[in-house]
Amino acid sequence: MFFGAGSVAVNAVRSLDCMPSELDFRAVDVLQKSVSSKNPPSLARKADLPFIRCQVCRKIAEELHGLVQKKQTQISPKMISELQIIDIAENVCNLKKEESDWILRIDIVEKGDTLELVDQGTEGQCNSECKTIERACQEVMEYSDTDVAEYIFKARPSINALANYLCGDLTKACSVKAPPIPKDRIPGEPFVAKSSKEAEMEKILRSMQGKVLRQKETAKAEWKGRILEGVKQSGAAIKKHVDRSLYRIQKWWGGKRTGGKASKAGKAEL
């Protein structure tokens, strides 16, 4: 019996690779290659990070506030959970997630001896400036996503209160004034808006990536439950087997001791 229960857990483990649809993965891969072939990857300009860190942080606060409000509207009358806010906070700096679409709208513009983030109102090609903003965003949120999500969930702050907490109290991203940019700084690429077709294709790609990831996470959770149930059944079966064996041993030992006493009593009568 307990061998059969144990095999449930083993079979569940062996089946972990069967998730989700292979067709979904292939479709995402084809779309991803199509998009990446048109847009060769760019690298972040690390030298620009100190000049934009505070502005990026305040932009993160603005976007987090808006995304949480949007999610709340979508699921109303239910209240948004802290886990849902954490998901938003974890994705707001990842260009592969739709929560980071705001990064694609931002252009880094030289203004005197400073750099200014300008929202162009439409998505542009992701070049080195786009990657630089993503990198600055990731550095701000690296160890802060859970804390800021908890603050949003409990305090329900305004945009200004959230920006002050994230960029002042939590990350200190705005605690020091940005230095002037070097006079010999090489300007970044000009902002080039995407065509509506290209923007739509990338949105479909991100949506499919999210769908595949959610399917995979759901499947893992289901298989994990089956594994745990199999282990639980195995444990119960083993315990039952051990208890039965102990009972037989005790019964055998008790009978042996009783037989020994009876034998001694017979010898005494003789």
Side-chain angles (χ1 to χ4, degrees):
M1 177 181 175
F2 82 92
F3 289 110
S7 65
V8 173
V10 173
N11 289 334
V13 173
R14 288 174 178 169
S15 302
L16 276 172
D17 295 329
C18 304
M19 354 166 265
S21 166
E22 189 70 25
L23 183 61
D24 289 337
F25 285 119
R26 289 177 181 174
V28 169
D29 187 53
V30 169
L31 268 177
Q32 204 163 23
K33 287 179 179 178
S34 173
V35 171
S36 60
S37 64
K38 295 180 181 179
N39 303 312
S42 300
L43 299 176
R45 297 175 59 163
K46 295 182 181 179
D48 283 351
L49 296 178
F51 311 115
I52 64 171
R53 184 173 287 112
C54 178
Q55 293 180 73
V56 168
C57 184
R58 299 194 73 85
K59 189 65 179 173
I60 294 170
E62 181 183 335
E63 291 300 321
L64 283 175
H65 190 274
L67 289 167
V68 170
Q69 292 291 333
K70 180 181 177 181
K71 185 67 175 181
Q72 179 59 73
T73 301
Q74 290 174 345
I75 65 173
S76 182
K78 293 181 179 180
M79 292 299 293
I80 190 170
S81 69
E82 187 172 353
L83 285 177
Q84 288 172 315
I85 299 176
I86 290 174
D87 283 341
I88 293 171
E90 287 179 342
N91 294 334
V92 75
C93 299
N94 185 347
L95 281 168
K96 294 180 180 180
K97 306 292 184 180
E98 61 181 344
E99 289 88 349
S100 70
D101 285 354
W102 63 276
I103 295 176
L104 299 170
R105 302 194 308 267
I106 305 298
D107 187 19
I108 300 177
V109 179
E110 285 192 18
K111 190 174 183 181
D113 62 355
T114 65
L115 294 181
E116 185 174 322
L117 302 186
V118 178
D119 193 328
Q120 297 290 349
T122 187
E123 291 185 10
Q125 300 290 347
C126 188
N127 49 34
S128 65
E129 290 190 353
C130 164
K131 291 292 187 179
T132 303
I133 296 168
E134 180 190 38
R135 178 65 178 268
C137 184
Q138 290 171 346
E139 288 189 0
V140 169
M141 293 293 285
E142 187 175 9
Y143 301 110
S144 306
D145 47 11
T146 303
D147 290 332
V148 75
E150 181 182 4
Y151 176 72
I152 294 172
F153 179 72
K154 291 181 177 179
R156 309 287 172 173
S158 64
I159 295 177
N160 284 336
L162 178 56
N164 290 337
Y165 173 75
L166 175 62
C167 308
D169 300 337
L170 191 58
T171 67
K172 305 293 189 292
C174 293
S175 61
V176 178
K177 185 179 179 181
I181 61 174
K183 293 181 180 180
D184 59 349
R185 176 185 178 272
I186 300 174
E189 307 94 335
F191 184 89
V192 179
K194 293 178 183 176
S195 67
S196 57
K197 184 177 181 181
E198 188 176 6
E200 185 63 26
M201 181 180 291
E202 291 191 4
K203 284 185 183 294
I204 292 172
L205 174 60
R206 287 195 293 272
S207 175
M208 290 183 68
Q209 286 175 327
K211 179 183 176 183
V212 169
L213 183 61
R214 285 192 297 272
Q215 287 177 342
K216 192 171 183 180
E217 288 174 348
T218 300
K220 278 187 176 181
E222 290 174 354
W223 283 113
K224 184 178 179 180
R226 290 182 65 177
I227 290 170
L228 291 175
E229 182 61 28
V231 171
K232 188 187 296 183
Q233 291 179 15
S234 298
I238 291 170
K239 184 178 183 300
K240 187 174 181 180
H241 178 76
V242 170
D243 289 344
R244 186 180 298 167
S245 298
L246 286 173
Y247 174 76
R248 288 175 177 170
I249 291 171
Q250 289 172 349
K251 189 174 180 182
W252 170 79
W253 183 252
K256 186 175 180 182
R257 292 180 64 185
T258 303
K261 289 180 180 179
S263 177
K264 288 180 180 179
K267 288 182 180 180
E269 289 177 1
L270 291 173

